[in-house]
Amino acid sequence: MGHLLMVESWVGSMSALLPRAIGEAGHRFTLLTRDLHHYLRAARPPEPHPLLAARNIITTETNDTLALTEHVERLHAVLGFDGVISSCDYYLPTVARLSARLGLPGPAPEAVEAACRKDLTRRILADAGVPGPRHAVCHDRAELLDAAAGMGFPLVLKPTDLCAGMYVRRVDDEDGLLAAHRELAGFPVNARGQRRSPAVLLEELLTGPEVSVETVSGGGLHHVVGVTDKSVAGAPAFIETGHMFPAASPPDVLREAVDTAVAALTALGLDEVVAHTEIRLTPGGPRVVEVNPRPAGNRITELVRHVTGVDLPAAAVEVAMGRVPDLTPRDTGVGSAAIAFLLPERAGELAGFDGTREATGMPGVREIDLAAPGRRTRPALSNNDYLGHVMVTSPDPGDARPRAEKALSALRPRWAEAREVLA
């Protein structure tokens, strides 16, 4: 039985999938967090939050790396950790540094830092000749305008250190560029209380389908589990509206995407890690969008598991403890699996959904997960704004996406009437 130290977590699907994987393997974990209520607020009553399955829950300041390291060293002397893990991008560099300090397995801290900083990723991949978009790192308004004039519109403005598509915007002219920059500048601290970098990335707009390459790295080798496709909407934002595994692109195109992802992992020096590398399949060939040194979110790992039997959260647990995970695919009877996300199109208070019985009865539906009534909504701006999802499987390759989209179309949000406030 192993003992993992979990430093924070996302509150989405991985906050359930990682504890499940740890428990099913017979391991235990200690949760370290600066704000336990962050997770308690995300619970779905009457069930407790899955992170409460931790053997120990310790509250401490996880944003102060020096003090945290000293605290974790004292805990390690008493509890004896076999690995350190997190699903939250904002703490992946901290996890890598803690692992190195404790002499535990893990990727090189500088490699994780580079992958989690989009500007560093761009520089390293460009130096290594790994294809990506033309780009510029800008620190102020003057640099931004100069870069835009040199590159030409349309462009993409993105933060260097946020996740879930937050504040990533297509800009078609100077006014739009400055408005997007002001919007981003108004968010100086991320959701975990960490001060953000003021630097921004300005990139050429890449066109073509987008896929992600799911990998497990160890001993200097990158094992490709498969390729997932992605649909994006919400312009000028970039919001993921669905995924299907395996991707339905032609085999030669997928091989090029895989080669590009592996080249990116190698250039960054990422090893001993489960990774999720996003690739745009442009008319000029594959281009790296970003490299994430952790398992895919948005329940992509569940799509992979339904089709191949390979459990990527479980692989992440084993890799974190220096073990070699079993990545052998098995026949599950599933040829494709897909997830489709429901986006809010208006501001208001959610009252419920119509069509749930119809959607549930459609062929292949495995999950329908919907937001609870009373939730306040706005038109979607990032992947954080979903109202819910439908997950569907099919025995046939390429068939799950249309099934998922059909089931999602049956779901119709209802909105509470505005209440008049009486004097």
Side-chain angles (χ1 to χ4, degrees):
M1 176 185 291
H3 189 182
L4 284 155
L5 175 64
M6 185 182 297
V7 182
E8 304 288 3
S9 169
W10 286 127
V11 294
S13 62
M14 201 53 65
S15 69
L17 295 176
L18 265 185
R20 182 200 73 187
I22 293 169
E24 288 181 354
H27 306 313
R28 62 191 190 279
F29 70 101
T30 289
L31 174 65
L32 214 58
T33 177
R34 68 194 299 266
D35 179 14
L36 181 58
H37 289 282
H38 183 77
Y39 306 104
L40 297 178
R41 288 190 296 269
R44 296 283 190 90
E47 297 298 322
H49 197 285
L51 290 171
L52 297 185
R55 177 66 57 90
N56 312 290
I57 299 175
I58 299 171
T59 302
T60 191
E61 180 51 75
T62 52
N63 287 345
D64 183 338
T65 304
L66 179 60
L68 178 64
T69 300
E70 295 173 350
H71 187 47
V72 167
E73 286 180 323
R74 293 192 294 270
L75 289 174
H76 182 50
V78 176
L79 298 175
F81 302 119
D82 298 294
V84 189
I85 199 168
S86 181
S87 64
C88 182
D89 297 53
Y90 301 140
Y91 295 95
L92 297 177
T94 298
V95 163
R97 287 192 288 268
L98 289 173
S99 297
R101 182 63 175 265
L102 299 180
L104 296 174
E110 59 273 16
V112 175
E113 180 73 30
C116 290
R117 280 273 305 276
K118 295 178 176 64
D119 52 338
L120 296 180
T121 298
R122 285 281 175 254
R123 176 175 60 79
I124 291 169
L125 297 191
D127 288 347
V130 180
R134 291 183 299 119
H135 68 279
V137 181
C138 305
H139 299 84
D140 56 36
R141 184 177 183 271
E143 288 187 357
L144 197 64
L145 293 174
D146 285 346
M151 296 170 66
F153 295 99
L155 295 166
V156 177
L157 179 79
K158 61 174 62 172
T160 62
D161 54 2
L162 287 176
C163 309
M166 292 184 67
Y167 295 97
V168 179
R169 299 288 184 268
R170 170 178 171 149
V171 292
D172 293 299
D173 53 36
E174 188 174 291
D175 287 343
L177 173 64
L178 294 176
H181 188 236
R182 285 193 299 271
E183 182 186 21
L184 177 56
F187 191 71
V189 177
N190 69 26
R192 298 307 179 97
Q194 299 168 340
R195 184 155 293 278
R196 294 190 46 256
S197 167
V200 299
L201 266 175
L202 194 62
E203 300 180 351
E204 69 170 312
L205 178 67
L206 298 176
T207 59
E210 189 169 339
V211 299
S212 61
V213 181
E214 324 305 339
T215 54
V216 179
S217 301
L221 300 175
H222 306 297
H223 179 96
V224 177
V225 176
V227 183
T228 312
D229 71 16
K230 182 191 310 286
S231 56
V232 179
F238 294 82
I239 305 171
E240 297 176 358
T241 58
H243 306 277
M244 183 174 68
F245 183 91
S249 300
D252 58 331
V253 173
L254 294 181
R255 280 194 296 271
E256 290 182 352
V258 165
D259 291 345
T260 302
V262 168
L265 294 169
T266 301
L268 290 166
L270 283 169
D271 198 6
E272 311 303 329
V273 69
V274 177
H276 166 75
T277 303
E278 298 177 359
I279 305 284
R280 181 74 74 165
L281 305 176
T282 78
R287 300 288 184 269
V288 175
V289 177
E290 62 184 40
V291 181
N292 300 282
R294 41 83 179 157
N298 269 357
R299 297 187 75 72
I300 289 173
T301 60
E302 286 295 274
L303 305 183
V304 174
R305 186 175 65 85
H306 282 311
V307 175
T308 69
V310 175
D311 189 334
L312 286 170
V317 169
E318 296 303 303
V319 168
M321 294 191 294
R323 303 179 182 183
V324 178
D326 182 4
L327 302 175
T328 306
R330 58 182 175 84
D331 183 7
T332 64
V334 175
S336 60
I339 189 167
F341 296 98
L342 187 61
L343 305 182
E345 297 179 351
R346 53 164 284 184
E349 180 181 327
L350 184 66
F353 294 88
D354 294 324
T356 54
R357 180 176 298 179
E358 178 186 356
T360 301
M362 290 186 178
V365 171
R366 294 286 187 108
E367 291 179 7
I368 294 182
D369 186 65
L370 300 171
R375 173 167 165 182
R376 302 295 304 181
T377 70
R378 63 181 182 184
L381 295 173
S382 76
N383 297 347
N384 295 323
D385 294 325
Y386 297 138
L387 289 180
H389 71 258
V390 175
M391 185 182 293
V392 174
T393 61
S394 169
D396 302 316
D399 185 50
R401 177 185 290 282
R403 286 189 178 195
E405 291 174 347
K406 183 177 181 181
L408 191 77
S409 68
L411 298 170
R412 300 176 297 279
R414 286 184 284 105
W415 307 96
E417 297 296 328
R419 297 181 180 88
E420 184 176 354
V421 179
L422 302 177

